């Protein structure tokens, strides 16, 4: 039996920058997808999951249109297998049992973690060597093929390159990863607003094309290359350009242990995602406000927005009090049921066992 784990991620700052070749600062979190796989002789991949219904049964070389596979969670399996086959993996079948502690539909990248785990398990079981960066790119391409959502590469890179106790400064153009230690005095809380989010239904793709159009108007390859002066009054582009600057400032502040400054940058990031990029919701705003009142250094929506989670930076010595108070205030002002998690940065995806011959 082969066992592979792949963590979800939370992004501290730098949202809607990855698909414009920009910068972001996610960490791999201690919630993960685990795939246990054993080879089978008939060239099929048969998967069951504790997180969702139905049995996936697809050819080990993938299918022509992964987006039409049923049950729906098999689309990403089929897409990963097809891309691996194109890359030269032999179509060796396997049985897979999937378990997950990454909440689904919350913006913590359960689907990226799943695709990364399946890709590594499928590669390992066929003795196919694939570099970590290629795993991330392949899992991103699989997401495009399976769901049609034109996501960037942040989630898959975070799941693959996570490092315990560290955030990851990702350069989404060069795909370089710099690890940045998270000070011990800081705790990271993630709270789900109680409003589910599906990127297929959201304006994610529209925002991405608006950014591409803005880059073309500014005469740059991607908004990473633009200045605020280049983008004028375009609020979407202004968000991306200013967010890249906030990521750099946040990394400097985190390295200097200046958590107040980090918090201020998180609040500015949330305001920019709300007012310029227009991907916040009433609930996300209320939760960010509740964290401000509860004494967090800062909080912001994390990931794509349109529902999902808020990430907060808080004093490690007061984390329970601050999260408890923010959650109570949010619950009473919105009537929603928030789900709080205190998270820790963990190592990225990989095998967790030795192959059992
Ligand atoms: C989703 C996408 C990422 C990224 C974020 C926003 O999580 O999958 O690629 O674009 O939204 O930062």
């Amino acid at each position: 039996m082969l066992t592979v784990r792949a963590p979800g991620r939370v992004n501290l700052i730098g949202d809607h920058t990855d698909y414009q070749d920009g910068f972001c600062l996610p960490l791999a979190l201690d919630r993960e997808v685990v795939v246990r796989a054993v080879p089978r002789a008939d060239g099929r991949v048969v998967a069951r999951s504790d997180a969702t219904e139905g049995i996936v049964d697809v050819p080990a070389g993938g299918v022509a249109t992964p987006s039409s596979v049923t049950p729906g969670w098999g689309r990403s399996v089929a897409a990963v297998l097809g891309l691996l086959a194109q890359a030269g993996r032999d179509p060796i079948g396997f049985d897979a049992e999937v378990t997950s502690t990454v909440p689904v539909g919350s913006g913590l990248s359960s689907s990226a973690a799943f695709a990364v785990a399946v890709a590594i398990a499928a590669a390992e079981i066929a003795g196919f060597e694939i570099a970590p960066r290629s795993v991330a790119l392949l899992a991103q391409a699989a997401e495009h093929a399976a769901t049609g959502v034109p996501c960037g590469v942040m989630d898959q890179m975070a799941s693959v390159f996570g490092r315990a106790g560290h955030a990851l400064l990702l350069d989404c153009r060069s795909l370089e990863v710099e690890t940045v230690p998270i000070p011990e005095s800081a705790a990271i809380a993630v709270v789900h607003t109680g409003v589910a989010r599906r990127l297929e239904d959201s304006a994610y793709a529209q925002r991405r094309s608006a950014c591409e159009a803005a880059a073309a108007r500014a005469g740059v390859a991607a908004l990473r290359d633009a200045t605020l002066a280049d983008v004028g009054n375009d609020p979407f582009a202004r968000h991306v350009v200013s967010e890249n600057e906030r990521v750099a400032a946040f990394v400097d502040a985190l390295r200097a242990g200046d958590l107040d400054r980090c918090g201020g940058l998180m609040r500015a990031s949330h305001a920019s995602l709300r007012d310029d990029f227009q991907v916040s919701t009433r609930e996300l705003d209320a939760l960010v406000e509740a964290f401000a009142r509860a004494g967090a250094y800062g909080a912001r929506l994390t990931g794509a927005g349109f529902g999902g989670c808020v990430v907060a930076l808080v004093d490690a010595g007061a984390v329970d009090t601050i999260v408890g108070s923010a959650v109570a205030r949010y619950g009473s002002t919105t009537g929603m049921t928030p789900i709080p998690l205190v998270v820790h940065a963990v190592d990225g995806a990989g095998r967790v066992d030795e192959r059992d011959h």
Side-chain angles (χ1 to χ4, degrees):
M1 160 119 62
L2 165 79
T3 305
V4 170
R5 55 170 281 282
R9 67 96 188 93
V10 63
N11 190 23
L12 288 177
I13 195 159
D15 272 309
H16 292 282
T17 50
D18 62 349
Y19 52 76
Q20 284 295 313
D21 286 1
F23 298 91
C24 49
L25 191 71
L27 50 95
L29 48 78
D30 47 347
R31 300 289 187 288
E32 59 191 21
V33 174
V34 173
V35 173
R36 293 185 177 80
V38 282
R40 48 185 285 156
D42 63 356
R44 303 210 52 99
V45 171
V46 178
R48 293 173 173 76
S49 165
D50 74 337
T52 173
E53 298 282 304
I55 296 174
V56 171
D57 185 349
V58 289
V63 298
T65 42
S67 57
S68 53
V69 166
T70 54
W73 65 277
R75 291 171 192 168
S76 133
V77 178
V80 163
L81 292 169
L83 290 162
L84 280 170
Q86 280 170 31
R89 175 191 180 272
D90 292 334
I92 293 172
F94 56 94
D95 280 310
E97 293 283 345
V98 182
T99 56
S100 177
T101 53
V102 192
V104 173
S106 54
L108 299 178
S109 297
S110 57
S111 63
F114 178 57
V116 165
V118 170
I120 295 175
E124 289 272 347
I125 224 150
F128 178 70
E129 300 231 342
I130 178 165
R133 214 175 266 182
S134 307
V135 170
L137 289 169
L138 186 140
Q140 178 200 18
E143 183 81 18
H144 294 178
T147 66
V149 176
C151 64
V153 77
M154 164 170 71
D155 309 344
Q156 296 79 5
M157 286 290 288
S159 184
V160 169
F161 287 98
R163 168 131 172 239
H166 291 70
L168 312 166
L169 172 59
L170 302 185
D171 177 334
C172 296
R173 172 170 281 164
S174 68
L175 297 187
E176 269 160 36
V177 181
E178 217 178 294
T179 53
V180 184
I182 299 168
E184 288 196 351
S185 57
I188 294 161
V190 177
V191 181
H192 194 292
T193 51
V195 182
R197 169 221 71 125
R198 271 170 52 94
L199 290 192
E200 291 91 321
D201 308 331
S202 77
Y204 185 90
Q206 265 169 270
R207 291 292 186 285
R208 184 170 173 153
S209 8
C211 290
E212 280 158 13
R217 277 196 302 276
V220 291
L223 290 175
R224 178 236 181 84
D225 305 311
T227 62
L228 282 176
D230 293 334
V231 298
N233 281 333
D234 180 324
F236 297 143
R238 187 164 60 211
H239 164 73
V240 177
V241 174
S242 64
E243 186 79 348
N244 279 326
E245 291 172 0
R246 283 185 289 271
V247 173
F250 187 101
V251 168
D252 288 347
L254 198 61
R255 287 210 166 106
D258 187 348
L259 299 180
D260 280 318
R261 170 99 178 110
C262 289
L265 290 159
M266 290 172 87
R267 287 196 297 278
S269 168
H270 184 78
S272 177
L273 286 158
R274 180 191 61 210
D275 302 335
D276 275 353
F277 215 67
Q278 299 162 43
V279 292
S280 191
T281 61
R282 188 180 73 88
E283 291 81 10
L284 287 163
D285 294 344
L287 192 47
V288 166
E289 171 67 18
F291 267 110
R293 288 178 183 243
Y297 293 113
R300 57 186 287 283
L301 73 81
T302 182
F306 314 104
C309 290
V310 158
V311 61
L313 186 69
V314 302
D315 177 358
V319 58
D320 292 340
T321 323
I322 293 174
V323 174
S325 144
V327 158
R329 174 181 293 273
Y330 170 76
S332 68
T333 53
T334 61
M336 301 300 298
T337 309
I339 309 160
L341 311 170
V342 174
V343 301
H344 299 96
V346 300
D347 285 338
R351 278 180 74 158
V352 289
D353 68 334
E354 287 309 313
R355 201 180 298 229
D356 189 0
H357 287 286

